[in-house]
Amino acid sequence: MVLELQQRLGARICAVLKEKYDLAIENISLETPPDLRFGEIATPIAFELARKLRKAPKIIAQEIVTALGAIDGFAGFEVAGAGYINARLDRAAAVQMAVSDEALPSSKELLNAIVEHTSINPNKAAHIGHLRNAILGDTFVRLLRAAGCKVDVQNYIDNTGVQVADVVVGFLHLEGKSLTDIQEIIRNCEMHRALGSARQQSSFDYYCWDLYARTSQWYTSGTTEENEARKRLRYDTLHAIERGGNETSEIAELISTAVLKRHLETMQRLGIEYDFLPRESEILHLKFWEAAFEQLKQSGVLYFENEGKNQGCWVMSRATERVQDQAGPEDDAKVIVRSNSTVTYVGKDIAYHLWKFGLLGRDFGYKPFFAYPNHECWISAEHGETQHPHFGAARAIYNVIDSRQSDPQANVIQALRGMGHAAEADHYTHFSYEMVALTPRCAIELGYDVSEEDLSRAYIEVSGRKGFGVKADDLIDRLIAATRAEVDARQTGVPSGRFVLAGVGTARSEAERHRIATQIAIGALRYFMLKYTRNSVIAFDFKDALSFEGETGPYIQYAVVRIRNIFRKGGTTPEAVLAEFASQSAAAGKSAGQQKVTSNTPQNSDEGTKCQDTASVVPQEAQKNTEALAPAASLTAWLSSEENEDIWSLWLRAGRFSLVLDQCIAASEPAYLAKHAFQLAQEFNNFYHKHHILTEEDVNRKTFLLATAAVALRELVKALSLLGIESPEAM
RNA sequence: GCGCCCGUAGCUCAGCUGGAUAGAGCGACUGACUACGAAUCAGUAGGCCGGGAGUUCGAAUCUCUCCGGGCGCACCA
């Protein structure tokens, strides 16, 4: 609603500037004034034009205002301050717009996009850092889809790296396990899992977490000779895995696949699903790099270095500035192919991204891998199924990768551009975010040894290698336990201050309690990860993450539950109320437009009768009284009176959704939506305390208040669902 | 040494492309539950927006510089 009106106003101002001053200004900056006293939309355009036109801003503003005339949806314009133009909305009209829930303007060309996120090395359990990645990525996917974009979700699996080799070394050489032993361990974990045993017994990824940390330590814990032998073992294992077709690579595949399944299960708890899992092993075996190498050589992006420190390597110039007159080797260049003719990580990444944009001329094989209730997730394979969906060849890609990787990401973009794929380079977004670290207090709480130096820091980086961090499933389990305690407390009538009314705590089944607790826990977790903007480091602390008050997911969910309770108690539904309110205000709007008051009383229409019988003892009088005023007039009065400013403010906030969505996508920043949802819930709670809806005697006003609640509900549920947070029926 | 990010209330953070009186949450203190459930609401206190200079009618926001903190910059993967 607000977005639409802003666009309308912007276009009109644009036209005025054109005809009046012959100025072609594309983007009229429009903003939200700090206070409703200044109207709903404002523009400082007159300030910008002051110098160009050599006139005082105030005079320009006045000229524009007079030239604007009347615009549909606006009540008027005025000049304020030193030259602001403030626009006041036609509040009754705006409310009607908000009720109709306008379709989203699909302003964006319908881009076919790939969002890649999660991408956890399949050698250990997921930790809180991975949660931030996956939640950010998943939420962004939801935002893009809401805006009408077709999105494939990919989760890149580096199953041939040293990290996997380390766990293989651990199993084979530290634990002396064989292939069949490992199969047995995995089977055992799955059995324990089915029985609902504790995480330590039932999670293969937890087993690997510890083993990986032990192996990492083992490499440096022996004598110098021993350590060297161990390192050799490590690289022999790595190379065997990369080659494939041997028992070591078979073990690696077994481990990484089992851990990957655990990751998908963990993420599924948060409502996160994937479409395709491309694996590094296929990028290797299907010779993606060889195809890319040819293209890179032909385009001249890579060149062979004959001297200097990178002698014998294929390298890529790093920076954009090419100092031509500077002779000699470019030691600063990025090595893509080593002197032993193996390819670096960035090289493989370039090949992979050429595939993403459909520029490689090769494709993966595809096999189904993981079944979600509503769709299948596919995985790359050397020899896939003949029938499979098509991935890749996207117009835009978003890589959710932490900010430490911005250098290699920039390298890939630079290579694309150098190869002449400028459009692709422009649509390549490194969706970067800062890490999740632990506060020293949290680290101590978890029982880790914290050094003196770390104690003095604000936060300590998590490390999978050291086994230092909070595992994702542990956190989710703790959250569910905490929310479950709250749900039970509200259930058994142990009140947090208030008497629990009979009937309020109607006995809920075990399954129901569990479901509610889970919804709240996930809501708390997702909101916690989304409320910070991307480039702020989250210093993780259980106290903050386990909080359900204030700016949290449960706060917003609670507002939803409150609204639902109102409708439940009132014996009506949001849909019915909105339908009634819409027909009422539409009819009234028409009559008001004709300057005539009709005797039409929409309250008596069949739609609205349900909520009538409980309240309104004096329907006849009430109708008589409001007849003189007519719903439109009273609506306008309610929306503009001082003591109802909170109601109008709530409607206005509710109408900002598409504007916020636009901003989120433009800035790749889901936190804006999180903020919006919280503010909306906050305004609703304020409204809730101030106006008691069900005891309102004026039936027209009661309908109006119910409609306000209904729109708030609709917008809250919509915003929450885009944040991946469910709206519980009860709490 | 080079590059990127951060520095805003006691703490954790918002502040969109420069704009009107710098906002939330937590914590502290005061109040409000026999109402549609208080996982809530109202109120009070708390700020040279790291320092300095510049651009501008106008700077938390842009530029430069200094200070403080974090992360990158390998033929590792």
Side-chain angles (χ1 to χ4, degrees):
Chain A
M1 177 262 274
V2 175
L3 179 64
E4 199 180 336
L5 289 168
Q6 279 203 6
Q7 285 166 347
R8 208 180 281 174
L9 177 62
R12 184 81 188 101
I13 292 176
C14 208
V16 166
L17 295 181
K18 185 84 182 72
E19 62 190 66
K20 201 159 167 55
Y21 307 114
D22 196 33
L23 288 172
I25 294 177
E26 288 294 309
N27 290 331
I28 309 294
S29 57
L30 295 164
E31 57 198 35
T32 308
D35 196 290
L36 278 174
R37 282 179 298 135
F38 302 118
E40 287 79 18
I41 303 174
T43 175
I45 186 77
F47 295 112
E48 291 167 37
L49 298 176
R51 176 137 23 113
K52 215 174 271 180
L53 297 173
R54 292 159 182 267
K55 271 190 211 175
K58 219 163 179 169
I59 296 173
I60 299 170
Q62 193 51 60
E63 286 175 353
I64 294 174
V65 164
T66 27
L68 276 176
I71 304 178
D72 207 23
F74 290 86
F77 309 94
E78 65 205 32
V79 181
Y84 280 97
I85 299 173
N86 291 337
R88 292 184 189 281
L89 300 187
D90 175 344
R91 296 186 173 187
V95 160
Q96 279 183 56
M97 282 174 77
V99 167
S100 71
D101 186 25
E102 86 277 20
L104 287 170
S106 51
S107 52
K108 310 273 177 300
E109 49 212 297
L110 282 166
L111 285 179
N112 186 359
I114 290 175
V115 174
E116 177 181 300
H117 66 76
T118 309
S119 307
I120 310 169
N121 288 329
N123 70 326
K124 59 173 183 305
H127 59 62
I128 45 175
H130 302 124
L131 283 179
R132 187 178 195 185
N133 181 305
I135 290 170
L136 275 172
D138 177 68
T139 304
F140 195 63
V141 168
R142 290 165 191 260
L143 293 172
L144 286 175
R145 285 179 175 159
C149 193
K150 185 193 168 296
V151 185
D152 280 333
V153 186
Q154 298 193 357
N155 175 358
Y156 179 78
I157 311 299
D158 186 357
N159 59 343
T160 58
V162 269
Q163 326 80 16
V164 175
D166 287 344
V167 179
V168 173
V169 168
F171 272 114
L172 293 179
H173 303 283
L174 264 69
E175 302 215 313
K177 296 285 199 300
S178 68
L179 178 67
T180 49
D181 292 338
I182 300 169
Q183 282 169 333
E184 177 69 21
I185 292 169
I186 295 172
R187 252 200 312 278
N188 260 326
C189 284
E190 275 164 9
M191 195 190 71
H192 274 290
R193 209 175 127 70
L195 294 171
S197 307
R199 292 271 166 218
Q200 287 301 341
Q201 279 86 53
S202 65
S203 292
F204 183 64
D205 55 340
Y206 277 43
Y207 191 113
C208 292
W209 173 283
D210 294 333
L211 184 55
Y212 179 48
R214 270 168 54 209
T215 310
S216 297
Q217 212 189 356
W218 181 67
Y219 288 134
T220 54
S221 61
T223 63
T224 318
E225 294 79 42
E226 279 172 344
N227 289 346
E228 251 166 55
R230 290 169 186 180
K231 289 272 166 61
R232 261 199 309 281
L233 198 58
R234 183 189 205 192
Y235 288 105
D236 289 347
T237 307
L238 173 62
H239 295 139
I241 294 169
E242 283 179 348
R243 265 198 317 280
N246 51 65
E247 187 170 299
T248 306
S249 69
E250 209 179 316
I251 291 172
E253 161 110 22
L254 179 68
I255 294 168
S256 66
T257 303
V259 173
L260 171 59
K261 280 213 168 106
R262 282 293 308 120
H263 291 164
L264 297 190
E265 284 160 358
T266 300
M267 295 308 169
Q268 199 178 8
R269 300 178 82 187
L270 305 173
I272 299 172
E273 301 184 352
Y274 309 90
D275 299 312
F276 178 48
L277 312 170
R279 292 188 297 187
E280 178 147 292
S281 51
E282 275 69 50
I283 290 181
L284 242 51
H285 299 145
L286 295 170
K287 314 259 184 239
F288 275 28
W289 164 246
E290 283 73 359
F293 194 24
E294 282 312 308
Q295 292 188 27
L296 283 163
K297 280 192 280 195
Q298 273 170 28
S299 61
V301 171
L302 288 192
Y303 64 94
F304 191 77
E305 184 61 83
N306 284 305
E307 47 184 335
K309 99 184 207 300
N310 295 330
Q311 187 180 14
C313 299
W314 286 88
V315 302
M316 184 174 85
S317 293
R318 199 180 279 273
T320 40
E321 87 272 7
R322 269 212 116 151
V323 191
Q324 286 291 352
D325 43 289
Q326 199 175 332
E330 201 181 346
D331 277 353
D332 189 38
K334 175 71 199 166
V335 172
I336 303 297
V337 181
R338 304 183 190 103
S339 53
N340 67 2
S341 77
T342 57
V343 60
T344 61
Y345 183 77
V346 172
K348 282 180 270 190
D349 219 20
I350 292 170
Y352 173 43
H353 282 93
L354 285 170
W355 170 83
K356 277 192 185 174
F357 281 118
L359 298 168
L360 188 68
R362 288 191 191 194
D363 199 1
F364 291 103
Y366 298 91
K367 282 205 291 214
F369 181 72
F370 194 87
Y372 294 110
N374 296 317
H375 81 289
E376 189 78 41
C377 175
W378 292 70
I379 196 164
S380 64
E382 227 172 310
H383 308 287
E385 312 271 319
T386 45
Q387 296 283 325
H388 63 81
H390 289 277
F391 298 103
R395 294 260 338 266
I397 65 171
Y398 296 88
N399 289 341
V400 183
I401 308 178
D402 76 71
S403 60
R404 286 171 289 192
Q405 302 274 356
S406 61
D407 225 51
Q409 286 290 298
N411 287 331
V412 177
I413 295 173
Q414 195 200 330
L416 283 172
R417 187 160 278 127
M419 294 170 82
H421 305 306
E424 284 76 10
D426 287 342
H427 287 105
Y428 184 125
T429 305
H430 173 202
F431 190 109
S432 78
Y433 64 94
E434 273 292 347
M435 62 183 170
V436 182
L438 304 187
T439 60
R441 196 180 75 176
C442 180
I444 291 165
E445 192 183 334
L446 287 164
Y448 292 107
D449 285 331
V450 182
S451 67
E452 281 293 323
E453 192 194 348
D454 281 344
L455 270 179
S456 62
R457 292 168 182 259
Y459 48 82
I460 315 168
E461 190 175 350
V462 304
S463 163
R465 197 168 290 281
K466 293 179 193 151
F468 174 73
V470 176
K471 297 187 203 72
D473 280 311
D474 284 348
L475 176 59
I476 300 170
D477 291 345
R478 277 184 71 161
L479 275 161
I480 291 175
T483 51
R484 178 55 200 263
E486 288 283 329
V487 170
D488 286 346
R490 274 149 232 270
Q491 193 66 192
T492 52
V494 183
S496 55
R498 164 194 279 256
F499 277 65
V500 169
L501 300 169
V504 168
T506 46
R508 281 189 244 287
S509 69
E510 172 65 26
E512 210 177 342
R513 289 191 201 188
H514 180 72
R515 196 169 55 89
I516 293 168
T518 305
Q519 287 176 329
I520 299 168
I522 302 306
L525 177 56
R526 290 194 61 129
Y527 193 88
F528 178 78
M529 289 295 180
L530 290 168
K531 74 180 195 182
Y532 301 94
T533 50
R534 287 182 291 119
N535 48 14
S536 106
V537 177
I538 298 181
F540 182 86
D541 199 320
F542 282 106
K543 184 177 135 297
D544 297 333
L546 292 171
S547 158
F548 310 129
E549 287 168 13
E551 197 191 341
T552 65
Y555 175 95
I556 306 169
Q557 290 173 313
Y558 187 62
V560 167
V561 168
R562 279 181 147 174
I563 302 175
R564 290 196 166 142
N565 283 343
I566 295 171
F567 285 98
R568 199 172 295 132
K569 288 255 161 91
T572 182
T573 65
E575 295 75 26
V577 166
L578 282 182
E580 184 197 344
F581 182 71
S583 69
Q584 189 180 7
S585 53
K590 228 177 279 163
S591 64
Q594 293 160 358
Q595 299 282 55
K596 233 183 347 184
V597 177
T598 66
S599 58
N600 180 18
T601 51
Q603 293 77 24
N604 287 342
S605 68
D606 41 19
E607 284 292 320
T609 43
K610 270 178 283 178
C611 64
Q612 298 290 304
D613 40 22
T614 48
S616 75
V617 243
V618 284
Q620 289 305 321
E621 272 96 334
Q623 278 167 28
K624 285 259 164 55
N625 288 342
T626 46
E627 209 174 85
L629 276 167
S634 43
L635 183 60
T636 308
W638 292 326
L639 286 168
S640 46
S641 78
E642 190 84 10
E643 73 266 27
N644 289 333
E645 203 69 335
D646 61 316
I647 303 183
W648 167 236
S649 174
L650 180 55
W651 279 92
L652 197 58
R653 176 81 59 193
R656 290 178 69 84
F657 173 75
S658 42
L659 188 71
V660 173
L661 180 61
D662 251 24
Q663 288 172 345
C664 285
I665 291 174
S668 301
E669 186 52 270
Y672 296 156
L673 182 64
K675 216 83 193 173
H676 169 76
F678 172 67
Q679 286 169 335
L680 189 58
Q682 206 175 28
E683 292 210 44
F684 172 77
N685 276 331
N686 185 330
F687 161 83
Y688 176 90
H689 273 268
K690 222 169 137 187
H691 310 277
H692 200 266
I693 299 174
L694 292 180
T695 54
E696 173 60 47
E697 289 187 358
D698 180 336
V699 283
N700 281 332
R701 184 170 164 85
K702 183 175 172 186
T703 303
F704 169 60
L705 294 178
L706 279 168
T708 306
V711 168
L713 175 66
R714 186 190 70 203
E715 293 301 320
L716 282 171
V717 170
K718 183 162 66 183
L720 283 177
S721 86
L722 290 191
L723 297 172
I725 299 174
E726 291 186 70
S727 300
E729 283 300 323
M731 281 175 76

